[in-house]
Amino acid sequence: MKKETLVSIAERSGCSISTVSRVLSGNAAKYRISQRTVARVTEEVKRCNYTPSLLAKGLRTNRTDTIGLLIPNIENSFFAGVAGVVIRESRNYNYKVVVVDTQEDERNEQDGLSALLARRVAGIVAAPCCSRQSVNPPVEAPASRQTNPVAAPCGSNSELFASVQEGGMPLVLIDRYLPDAGMLSYVTTDNYRGAVMATEYLLENGHRRIACIQGTPHSMPVRDRVRGFGDTLRAHGLGDRIVVTGEDFSVQNGYLETKLALAQAERPTAIFALSNLILLGVVKAVHESGLRIPDDISVVSFDDNMLFNYLDPAITCIGQPTDEIGTLAVKLLIRAVREPGAAPSHLHLPPSLIIRRSVRNLLL
């Protein structure tokens, strides 16, 4: 039998997720929800015998000394690094951490939230997974220069996260923030600035044909990175050379897109990979093609990885402040636990350009 969730109740009752959660948490009057809507939601809940675990009033009390951590991919070294910091910092406040890997799937995300709340965690740190709802292409990258459809920013579940917080559960987002859920605190890298730094560095070294391989195109970090890449090229009069391809944060994505780029009659002189996993696929494809980095093609990664120092050549990259992201996320969460109703914090931390040996200067 299919498990009922806030999402399924909302779909069948014709209401939003936040409306359903407010009715179930007894906040209908506070948000001026009509009696007719309350009755419709209540009838649907009774019909399917749904137990509202996400917003059960008992979750407001008797919490444990445990923090929930929701991440989209533990195999990604960025999230693994942040997770390690969150675990370390939580111990300083005498909290244990339960980690849920959603594998970039919204159903897993919903089930993970339910499981964490059922454990009566004291608070949740989460990197939301991303929706795939199609929308019009953004102005920063012409649709004709993209190989994949553009989708809505991560967080079609923004109402779900907002409802969890409204139900009394302290919540802090990391890396991916939800622009339509401003009451949620978050800590992220200034992804736009990082992309500008990487693109400027390639331009300073004489590169004009730069292939940008993105991750999940509807995630907020990727949207900001693509915007920074495109804006920088336009600022240098190269708006007609904006090329953005790719569809997810994976080695395979980097590998396949690099194979296609290198097969072009006029191949790029540099590749900007928008994550460390993508970069590893880029390196594999370049080597298979019999080319050398940076003699034949230059590469830059958004994200650092301890392996990058051991590759030959070592890889130039944009470093993200993973330690600061994890530390601040825990601090914000503990503040929310101790001070319910505290104003949300929206933190964009500065990235760093780590210059190694994977970019050739074409001007010399």
Side-chain angles (χ1 to χ4, degrees), residues 35-71:
Q35 287 299 314
R36 182 178 179 181
T37 299
V38 171
R40 189 161 73 246
V41 171
T42 303
E43 289 172 5
E44 180 59 32
V45 167
K46 290 180 180 178
R47 188 193 67 77
C48 64
N49 196 28
Y50 172 66
T51 301
S53 58
L54 277 179
L55 295 170
K57 293 181 180 179
L59 294 178
R60 298 171 184 261
T61 59
N62 300 322
R63 290 187 179 139
T64 65
D65 58 349
T66 303
I67 288 174
L69 175 60
L70 211 65
I71 55 176

Side-chain angles (χ1 to χ4, degrees), residues 145-204:
R145 303 292 282 173
Q146 295 188 328
T147 60
N148 55 298
V150 180
C154 62
S156 67
N157 275 349
S158 59
E159 287 187 346
L160 181 61
F161 282 99
S163 69
V164 168
Q165 180 165 271
E166 288 172 2
M169 176 59 63
L171 179 67
V172 175
L173 304 181
I174 53 173
D175 185 49
R176 304 167 178 184
Y177 59 96
L178 307 176
D180 55 346
M183 293 307 294
L184 297 175
S185 291
Y186 64 77
V187 186
T188 185
T189 303
D190 188 340
N191 290 285
Y192 178 85
R193 177 58 187 159
V196 170
M197 293 165 65
T199 309
E200 288 279 8
Y201 181 70
L202 288 171
L203 293 173
E204 289 169 1

Side-chain angles (χ1 to χ4, degrees), residues 4 27 68-69 98 149 184 208 245:
E4 297 292 344
N27 288 321
L69 175 60
V98 175
L184 297 175
R208 297 296 181 269
T245 63

Side-chain angles (χ1 to χ4, degrees), residues 205-242:
N205 281 273
H207 295 276
R208 297 296 181 269
R209 297 197 308 276
I210 306 170
C212 177
I213 304 179
Q214 65 182 347
T216 310
H218 29 278
S219 73
M220 286 309 299
V222 164
R223 289 167 70 90
D224 287 343
R225 293 170 193 176
V226 168
R227 187 165 55 89
F229 172 71
D231 284 353
T232 305
L233 289 184
R234 275 189 288 270
H236 288 264
L238 300 171
D240 61 336
R241 297 196 179 185
I242 299 174

Side-chain angles (χ1 to χ4, degrees), residues 114-137:
S114 295
L116 291 175
L117 292 168
R119 292 178 65 102
R120 290 178 169 79
V121 296
I124 297 173
V125 175
C129 64
C130 299
S131 69
R132 295 184 181 274
Q133 177 185 356
S134 295
V135 296
N136 293 329

Side-chain angles (χ1 to χ4, degrees), residues 276-291:
N276 49 25
L277 291 179
I278 294 172
L279 184 281
L280 293 177
V282 171
V283 171
K284 178 182 178 183
V286 170
H287 287 169
E288 279 188 5
S289 299
L291 301 176

